[in-house]
Amino acid sequence: MKILNFGSLNLDNVYSVDHFVRAGETLSSFKLERFSGGKGLNQSLALARAGAQVYHAGCIGADGRQLLDLLTESGADTRFVRCVEGPSGHAVIQVDKKGQNCILLYGGANQAVTEPFVDEVLASFDAGDVLLLQNEINCLDYIVEKASARGMRIALNPSPISENLFRLPLEKITYFILNEIEGREIAGREAPEEILAEFRRRFPDCVVVLTLGRDGAVYDDGTTRCRHGIYDVPVADTTAAGDTFTGYFLTCITNGEAPASALEKASIASSLAVSVKGAAPSIPTMAQVLEADLPLSR
């Protein structure tokens, strides 16, 4: 079984600030760091470091060689990454003293995906293989339709939320991996129990993994429901925490692990990620996850 991640590849400019810039304010940062990032790249790194057989598909500009090199070094297959004209996608990220972040994205090469390119990529995958998508590239509706027609299982991390998500054939999604805000937007409900119930009503055959911040995460597939809390770790940077969780959960669940085990490993991995600065550098290996001895938050 192969996992194809058709996703974004970004260059991240991370500014350390006292607080997030307010409307009309000019603020000096006290540090600038440059990292490889993008939800697509981060999730491929998490998949690869968790031990999955992952293939990344996407587009970079001539300035994006370091993104390709990082994927390769981490064990992802990059045969489906294409270099196109124009700059790579990039992000401007503010990180405050509490480790929280806000992100401004520029799509760049991530918006250069074409239908013929999609057809070329999907031709190498079969029924039962897994496709992972986020919402930082174009052609998502076409990718979902064509992958579903091939019998692939589709996992969606619907981030960032935007109108084009609601044009997707969401009934074709096998795994929804999303946070509480994204769940509210799609389900139109507020409370976690109501969100889960609405997903079950609208998409009865799907698996939902809903992350709830300090309340941990919950898994629901219509038959099994389980929860896992968060770990008490120092927070340096939350940038790749959700991507790490997604990659680890998807690796574990598609390898046949029980949902409770998949939630536990994903939670440990994301906790380790928030304790390290930067997106890509913070994503742990499976060996680090298995060796970790973290206290659950009370």
Side-chain angles (χ1 to χ4, degrees):
M1 188 273 298
K2 299 179 288 190
I3 298 179
L4 167 65
N5 183 6
F6 218 131
S8 58
L9 297 157
N10 284 345
L11 298 167
D12 290 348
N13 292 323
V14 181
Y15 297 85
S16 296
V17 294
D18 180 73
H19 59 270
F20 297 152
V21 178
R22 295 172 290 231
E25 179 182 22
T26 299
L27 179 68
S28 294
S29 64
F30 48 86
K31 185 187 290 186
L32 167 61
E33 298 168 282
R34 290 188 171 92
F35 299 106
S36 300
K39 296 191 72 63
L41 179 133
N42 293 341
Q43 291 179 21
S44 279
L45 296 182
L47 287 160
R49 293 175 188 176
Q53 183 183 2
V54 56
Y55 298 77
H56 192 98
C59 298
I60 57 173
D63 57 349
R65 181 70 201 189
Q66 72 184 67
L67 303 171
L68 195 62
D69 291 344
L70 180 58
L71 283 169
T72 302
E73 291 165 7
S74 297
D77 190 307
T78 61
R79 73 184 70 180
F80 303 116
V81 176
R82 297 290 181 267
C83 186
V84 299
E85 292 185 3
S88 298
H90 64 258
V92 175
I93 302 174
Q94 298 177 63
V95 179
D96 69 12
K97 289 184 175 180
K98 296 179 181 179
Q100 297 300 308
N101 67 75
C102 63
I103 303 173
L104 176 65
L105 290 174
Y106 171 71
N110 295 315
Q111 300 300 310
V113 176
T114 65
E115 293 182 2
F117 177 43
V118 172
D119 293 338
E120 176 189 343
V121 172
L122 293 182
S124 295
F125 296 86
D126 301 309
D129 288 337
V130 175
L131 169 67
L132 172 60
L133 298 171
Q134 310 82 30
N135 190 30
E136 292 183 345
I137 64 171
N138 64 314
C139 269
L140 283 180
D141 52 349
Y142 187 82
I143 296 170
V144 171
E145 292 284 4
K146 292 298 183 177
S148 177
R150 298 186 73 85
M152 297 181 72
R153 293 175 288 165
I154 304 172
L156 176 65
N157 174 222
S159 178
I161 285 286
S162 64
E163 284 301 317
N164 68 301
L165 279 172
F166 301 97
R167 295 192 291 269
L168 298 182
L170 295 178
E171 71 280 0
K172 299 181 185 296
I173 304 302
T174 309
Y175 303 97
F176 288 95
I177 308 174
L178 68 173
N179 63 30
E180 195 170 1
I181 294 172
E182 294 150 3
R184 287 171 182 162
E185 289 292 327
I186 294 174
R189 300 288 186 271
E190 288 294 319
E193 291 298 320
E194 295 174 345
I195 293 170
L196 292 170
E198 182 64 12
F199 269 85
R200 187 61 45 217
R201 184 188 70 81
R202 289 170 56 187
F203 316 113
D205 298 323
C206 78
V207 172
V208 181
V209 181
L210 186 64
T211 59
L212 301 169
R214 293 186 178 276
D215 292 325
V218 57
Y219 168 99
D220 183 278
D221 64 13
T223 301
T224 299
R225 179 176 291 188
C226 57
R227 297 176 180 270
H228 198 283
I230 64 169
Y231 293 93
D232 189 8
V233 296
V235 176
D237 183 357
T238 61
T239 304
D243 297 330
T244 301
F245 183 98
T246 296
Y248 266 80
F249 175 82
L250 194 59
T251 297
C252 293
I253 204 71
T254 57
N255 278 344
E257 292 193 33
S261 175
L263 278 187
E264 179 183 25
K265 288 177 180 172
S267 298
I268 292 172
S270 61
S271 295
L272 292 175
V274 302
S275 65
V276 178
K277 285 276 252 180
S282 73
I283 301 170
T285 63
M286 181 61 83
Q288 291 172 312
V289 169
L290 296 176
E291 292 168 0
D293 184 15
L294 305 179
L296 274 169
S297 182
R298 297 186 182 277

